Amino acid sequence: MSLPEYIVPEPDGSHMLLVWAQPGAKKNEVVGPHQGRLKIRLNAPAVDNKANKALLEFVAKLLSVRSSRLELVAGHTSRQKKIRIESAEEPVWNSLITGVAE
């Protein structure tokens, strides 16, 4: 399967996920590609790091990996975020692309 442009494989075997986050939405959901990133709506507000925590938990659930394997490496105070995904096994990308956890 060819990965979309917002999933970037790294030389060390990890992946970078480029995200456009929209906090304060009615529910957590994947919207789709947006300016080279994956747009994700979050029901958490953008205060006290709540949206960032909700984003990592939501992505971990979609990818079927532990949230401890995800790290927000850029964009802590921006809508444009970069998440490092470290997993011994290939994450379930299809769930992320479709926005539905299996």
Side-chain angles (χ1 to χ4, degrees):
M1 175 176 90
S2 176
L3 296 176
E5 63 183 330
Y6 49 80
I7 301 172
V8 182
E10 295 290 304
D12 65 0
S14 66
H15 291 82
M16 287 293 176
L17 176 63
L18 307 177
V19 174
W20 184 280
Q22 181 184 349
K26 290 185 178 183
K27 63 179 183 175
N28 292 338
E29 65 181 336
V30 173
V31 178
H34 177 75
Q35 297 181 3
R37 295 175 177 269
L38 181 63
K39 185 173 183 178
I40 298 178
R41 291 187 181 131
L42 302 161
N43 65 358
V47 293
D48 299 330
N49 209 30
K50 290 180 182 176
N52 289 337
K53 289 178 183 176
L55 174 64
L56 293 178
E57 289 173 8
F58 183 59
V59 170
K61 181 179 177 184
L62 288 173
L63 295 178
S64 300
V65 298
R66 294 191 327 260
S67 56
S68 63
R69 305 302 259 156
L70 276 62
E71 176 188 8
L72 184 61
V73 294
H76 292 82
T77 59
S78 168
R79 287 180 183 251
Q80 297 181 37
K81 302 183 182 295
K82 186 184 285 189
I83 300 171
R84 177 187 309 279
I85 303 164
E86 295 183 18
S87 180
E89 298 176 8
E90 189 77 8
V92 183
W93 298 121
N94 195 38
S95 295
L96 184 66
I97 294 166
T98 62
V100 178
E102 293 179 344

